Structure formats: structure tokens, C-alpha cells
Amino acid sequence: MFSVKNNTFTATDLLAGARMVHYNLSTPELIENAVKNCEGYLSDKGAFCVYTGKYTGRSPKDRFIVDTPAVHDKISWSNNKPCTVETFSRLYNKIKAFCKNHRLYVSDNFVGADKAHQLQVKCINEFASQHLFLKNLFITPETVPQTPADFTLVCCPSVTANPKEDGVNSEAFIIINFDEKIVLIGGSRYCGEMKKSIFSVMNYILPQKGILSMHCSANVGTDGKTAIFFGLSGTGKTTLSADPNRKLIGDDEHGWSENGIFNIEGGCYAKCIRLHPENEPQIFGAIRYGTILENVVLAPVTRTPDYDDSKYTENTRAAYPLDYIPNALQPSIAGHPNAIIFLTADAFGVLPPISRLDSKQAMYHFLSGYTSKVAGTERGITEPQATFSIGFGEPFLPLSPLRYARLLEEKIKKHNTKVYLVNTGWTGGPFGVGSRMKLKFTRAMVTAALNGTLDNVKWQKDPLFQLEIPMECPDVPSDILAPMNTWKDKDAYKKQAQKLISLFHKNVQRFHGEIDDDIINAGPKLD
């Protein structure tokens, strides 16, 4: 049931009683404040390392959208949790009470490199280090904007909810109110909640203007040809887009308008577990003064990061400005994509390392958004588990998933964009038996797809997954291109493949009656 609001929710209201408000501090000033406030530690290279406590990743069960008459029929409630105006009001008032007599950090930033589709965001933070994160990830204006902000983002981790009284699930809360144009975050110090909340806001606004918002990375070659990389966390989205031979447009969030693609952010938020300078030199080099490191273990005396240590979490992160990547494109705007890469880390070990998709298969795999979790990453997981996330970013899609899928189909057809499915996961067997696909082979296959080399080779059809597989690729052993060839036990391969195929079929049934049968039939073949 909808409720009538009886409160005013504004940044001015929140800041009115603050003990001290720091506006638009520079990077050195924010680091000095963070050190003074004992928010973390400086690494040997000058990066500021913070520890986020209990929450070392996003908390989907604590994320809500305020259900009001204006948005009720627009929001896809199957993958978004509603909360009442009363719940929002109670938590807003808790934050307002906290803001009195506390130090706050405030700035006006932008998201969206294309100025025609920018969103001005007023950022209010309890911690200087979190404000530096936003300075790195959003777009800092050259001069202070004189216009009112389009949206306000408020993050006060020290403010916690009472689940029973406040109508939420835990002490943490992430609430988007589209009517009041404000995001409230409390209880969690994980910085990713801030950036993904504003990404969700853009995912609400842009498609209603005919612009496809995408959870993808992007780069462009010297020939001007653009590529985008869709993928869930851990599939290689950031790693593969950080190519020294191509200019980086962005590593995570983009829009596709009538003019081409544009980065929604102004920085990168890279996973850095097991980071090595040989495999990911650009990311490694970006971790320096001004970068925020999350939950990375530092040596107690030398303050040298140990990227192999997962003591706090596997989800260690580095947040840095886009220009910390030497070949980043500025401004981060490019033409319509010539190629789209769907990335999956298949722990079942049965998907080909690269395959090409027709338009119907592209729709099928976009709606599937498949990757897999592996044994040991979460308590209770003893064998690979399939994960399906529409658009490779379902938690961040407020509108109907089909709206994003149809926009993608429309743009692929209009711009004749090629689509590939790339498996960065296992080969020669499932997780625990086979081995992870070598990064150098994946890079070689992606390069061949983007430079047109794969246009000139022979292809064969995989009878189970109905995918076209190249029979050869430069700098890649031909015997790994067809996954069954890498398994010693062919019957075991077929049994494992059918297990995954049945999961694909079960997942796609949720769209039965909403999409054409030829899209459903474009998927893997179930015996």
C-alpha cells in the first residue's frame, strides 16, 4: 500500500546541523583527512588502504527501491525489493540526526561522459576515504556547478538500521528513492554500494530515453573500432578491456546512445586478488598515490600489499581515476560498437573458449547472463554452481529486463555489430579437474575477433550448445577451441554439458510467453 509523504528530503536539510562540512576537497586533502581520522593506512606506493569490516561486498538483500505510485508500474519487482515511504523516512531521519554535530564531506560530481546525458550527483559522506572513492569513480567538474544536483547520494556507514523497527533485513540499508531523487546508504562501508546505486539510477533514467545502459567495459582500437565486454564479477571484464594496444573507454558501466557509447564513470574499480604485474600491468601500475585499496592485506612494517592474501575477502578492490591508465580515452566517448564480447567463467568446463553468436543467440545469452561459482568460494558449495544474471547485471536493472534486451537487439541490428561468447573459465574438465583458460590465449582470441582475423577462418558447429566455433586462431592451440577435445573422458564431458544445458533451459523458462520461441530455441540443445 502506498503512503503519503509528510517530510522534506533535501541535502540542505541534512547539512544544516553538521559540525563541519568540507566542500570539494582535493585528493591530497582527502587523504590527509582520512589519515587524521584513522580511516586506513598508506601503502608503500601511496595508495590508501581501507578495511570494510563485515561487509566486503555488495549486500543484495539490503538494497531497496521506495515503492510509490510514480514508479510502481515501471519497476521490475521480481528482481528489486520494495520498501515503504515510512521506512525511507525513518532511516532518513536517523541519518539526519547523525549528521548533526558530525564532520561531513560534500561535493558535486557527474556521471555520464556524454554531456547530453549526464547526471549531476551531490555526494555526502561520513568518511573522507569514501569521498575519495567517489572522486575517483565519478567525473569531477572543472568548476563547481552552479545548478542544483539531479540526485543526492548520502553514505553514513555508522548509521545502522533496526530491522524490526525499520522494516529492513539487517543493520545495513541501501535505499533508492526516485521520487525524492536521493540514495541513502548506512551500515556498510563497502564502497561498491555507492557506485552501483548510482548505476541503478542511470539504468532507470537512460532506457526511458532510448539509451541502452550496460554493465560492461569498453575499449577502442587505433582503427577507431569499438568493443564492449559484458560480464559478471570475476569473468575478466576489467582485465581484458585494459589492453595496452587499445584505448580504454571504461571498465564497468556504459551507455549506448544514438551517437555511440559513453562511459558512465570517471574511474575504475578493479578486482586485485592475485594481481600480478606480468598479467595485468596497467592495473598494477594504477595502484599508487590517490588510489583506494579495499581489504588488501598490507605488510605491517613495509606496508607492501599482498595481493595473494584473501584473509579478508576474495573481493579485494582498487579504485582509481581513469587517467591512471596510460592509454585511457579522454573524454571517454566512442562510436557504435563493432563487436560485443559476452564473458563467462564456466566452471563446468564445457563451453568453448570463443564462439560467435547470431542475433537470436545474442538475445538468448544476454537474457541468460551466465557464469558460475566454484567450490570453496562460498560456504556449502562443493561443485560448480551456475549463476544467471540478466544482462550480466540483473541486480542493477530497475526496469523490466526485456526492455534492456530489446534495446540491445535493436542496436545490434541497426549497427551490424558482431557478437561473441568468450569462456574465461575452465578447460579439460570442471573446476578441480581441469585448468583455468590461460589469459594469453583468451587475449589472443579476443584480439583475433576484434581485428577481423576470425572472419577468415573456417568454423564448425558445436552440436550441444549450437555455437559456431573457429577451427583455428593465431597464437592459440587448435585442440582447445572445441572443448570436448580437451576432456579425456568424452562421456563425462557430455554428461557435464547436459547438466549445464538443463540449467540454461530452466532459467530461460521465466521468459516463456514474453519472448519469441526462436530466441528460446537459439539456446543449447537439451537431450
Side-chain angles (χ1 to χ4, degrees):
M1 181 179 293
F2 301 118
S3 300
V4 179
K5 60 183 181 181
N6 56 4
N7 206 342
T8 299
F9 310 104
T10 66
T12 302
D13 185 44
L14 289 172
L15 298 175
R19 175 164 58 89
M20 182 179 293
V21 178
H22 295 287
Y23 284 100
N24 299 309
L25 295 188
S26 65
T27 293
E29 288 174 317
L30 286 169
I31 292 173
E32 287 167 3
N33 272 259
V35 171
K36 183 179 178 181
N37 300 340
C38 301
E39 295 177 23
Y41 305 90
L42 284 168
S43 77
D44 61 338
K45 302 296 184 188
F48 194 78
C49 188
V50 299
Y51 301 100
T52 62
K54 176 181 177 180
Y55 294 92
T56 58
R58 288 185 305 102
S59 185
K61 293 181 180 180
D62 298 313
R63 181 184 178 279
F64 302 89
I65 293 175
V66 180
D67 189 0
T68 67
V71 305
H72 181 76
D73 292 332
K74 295 179 181 179
I75 302 299
S76 173
W77 297 112
S78 62
N79 61 300
N80 289 283
K81 294 181 175 61
C83 78
T84 65
V85 172
E86 284 80 9
T87 288
F88 174 81
S89 181
R90 280 194 298 271
L91 292 171
Y92 172 90
N93 286 328
K94 282 191 175 184
I95 286 180
K96 181 179 177 180
F98 173 83
C99 287
K100 289 183 179 180
N101 299 316
H102 276 83
R103 179 194 301 110
L104 298 173
Y105 298 89
V106 182
S107 64
D108 284 288
N109 299 307
F110 290 95
V111 291
D114 185 339
K115 292 184 179 180
H117 306 298
Q118 275 187 337
L119 189 78
Q120 183 181 329
V121 183
K122 183 175 288 294
C123 304
I124 302 174
N125 289 93
E126 172 188 353
F127 295 118
S129 55
Q130 288 196 311
H131 207 68
L132 177 58
F133 172 90
L134 293 179
K135 185 178 180 68
N136 287 349
L137 266 294
F138 291 171
I139 299 168
T140 303
E142 294 180 2
T143 58
V144 178
Q146 300 302 308
T147 54
D150 301 305
F151 235 87
T152 299
L153 170 65
V154 186
C155 182
C156 295
S158 294
V159 179
T160 58
N162 182 314
K164 289 184 179 180
E165 291 179 2
D166 296 322
V168 292
N169 294 324
S170 75
E171 71 275 14
F173 56 92
I174 305 96
I175 302 180
I176 303 173
N177 189 326
F178 286 110
D179 282 14
E180 300 295 340
K181 296 181 171 53
I182 187 169
V183 176
L184 299 180
I185 300 175
S188 171
R189 290 189 65 168
Y190 179 66
C191 290
E193 297 287 15
M194 296 187 290
K195 88 179 215 88
K196 289 304 187 187
S197 295
I198 295 301
F199 182 42
S200 297
V201 170
M202 293 295 273
N203 284 335
Y204 178 80
I205 294 171
L206 294 179
Q208 295 186 72
K209 298 166 63 176
I211 300 167
L212 175 62
S213 50
M214 305 173 291
H215 186 216
C216 69
S217 59
N219 61 25
V220 60
T222 55
D223 55 4
K225 293 183 178 180
T226 303
I228 56 180
F229 302 78
F230 285 91
L232 295 167
S233 179
T235 57
K237 186 160 45 57
T238 298
T239 298
L240 291 170
S241 60
D243 185 334
N245 299 312
R246 297 171 65 84
K247 286 190 174 295
L248 177 69
I249 302 168
D251 82 325
D252 196 46
E253 304 171 5
H254 292 82
W256 188 351
S257 73
E258 67 282 359
N259 299 319
I261 67 168
F262 60 91
N263 192 355
I264 289 175
E265 299 181 297
C268 301
Y269 190 41
K271 289 192 75 169
C272 50
I273 190 70
R274 290 176 287 279
L275 180 67
H276 193 278
E278 183 178 331
N279 293 332
E280 297 167 295
Q282 292 186 310
I283 296 173
F284 192 88
I287 300 176
R288 51 190 171 90
Y289 183 79
T291 295
I292 292 287
L293 284 176
E294 270 191 326
N295 299 312
V296 173
V297 175
L298 298 181
V301 177
T302 65
R303 294 293 195 265
T304 304
D306 184 349
Y307 297 114
D308 293 326
D309 195 332
S310 59
K311 173 183 177 180
Y312 300 110
T313 178
E314 284 272 325
N315 188 37
T316 53
R317 294 275 181 168
Y320 46 85
L322 195 63
D323 59 13
Y324 276 28
I325 298 294
N327 61 338
L329 183 67
Q330 298 281 3
S332 46
I333 302 171
H336 299 289
N338 299 87
I340 293 172
I341 310 290
F342 292 157
L343 297 170
T344 179
D346 172 36
F348 290 79
V350 294
L351 281 177
I354 188 168
S355 51
R356 65 182 179 187
L357 310 178
D358 60 29
S359 61
K360 299 301 181 185
Q361 289 174 318
M363 283 287 285
Y364 182 95
H365 286 279
F366 181 81
L367 288 169
S368 297
Y370 163 68
T371 193
S372 51
K373 298 176 182 178
V374 298
T377 59
E378 290 185 13
R379 185 180 300 172
I381 296 179
T382 57
E383 61 180 19
Q385 289 190 0
T387 298
F388 295 95
S389 183
I390 300 164
F392 300 91
E394 188 172 354
F396 322 122
L397 306 181
L399 306 175
S400 166
L402 293 176
R403 187 157 192 166
Y404 305 92
R406 286 170 180 145
L407 272 173
L408 179 68
E409 182 181 35
E410 172 189 310
K411 292 181 182 295
I412 286 174
K413 289 180 177 178
K414 182 176 181 179
H415 301 289
N416 196 29
T417 305
K418 296 176 182 178
V419 185
Y420 299 89
L421 178 66
V422 170
N423 174 23
T424 62
W426 276 256
T427 181
F431 174 81
V433 177
S435 59
R436 190 81 187 254
M437 185 65 61
K438 291 184 179 179
L439 179 58
K440 66 177 181 179
F441 293 157
T442 300
R443 285 194 186 278
M445 287 182 276
V446 168
T447 297
L450 300 186
N451 66 20
T453 301
L454 291 185
D455 295 341
N456 303 313
V457 304
K458 293 182 179 180
W459 295 72
Q460 60 182 334
K461 191 166 187 176
D462 182 285
L464 296 178
F465 290 96
Q466 300 195 81
L467 297 169
E468 293 288 332
I469 303 172
M471 297 182 70
E472 58 180 303
C473 179
D475 302 317
V476 179
S478 296
D479 59 355
I480 72 168
L481 296 173
M484 188 163 66
N485 293 343
T486 66
W487 284 57
K488 294 180 180 179
D489 187 335
K490 310 304 181 188
D491 290 334
Y493 167 82
K494 292 177 181 177
K495 183 180 294 185
Q496 186 82 335
Q498 285 299 324
K499 183 186 296 184
L500 178 58
I501 289 170
S502 67
L503 296 173
F504 267 101
H505 274 254
K506 181 180 179 181
N507 174 70
V508 83
Q509 288 307 307
R510 58 175 157 165
F511 303 113
H512 186 72
E514 296 185 84
I515 60 175
D516 296 338
D517 287 345
D518 55 354
I519 293 175
I520 292 178
N521 295 333
K525 185 178 180 181
L526 185 65
D527 280 352

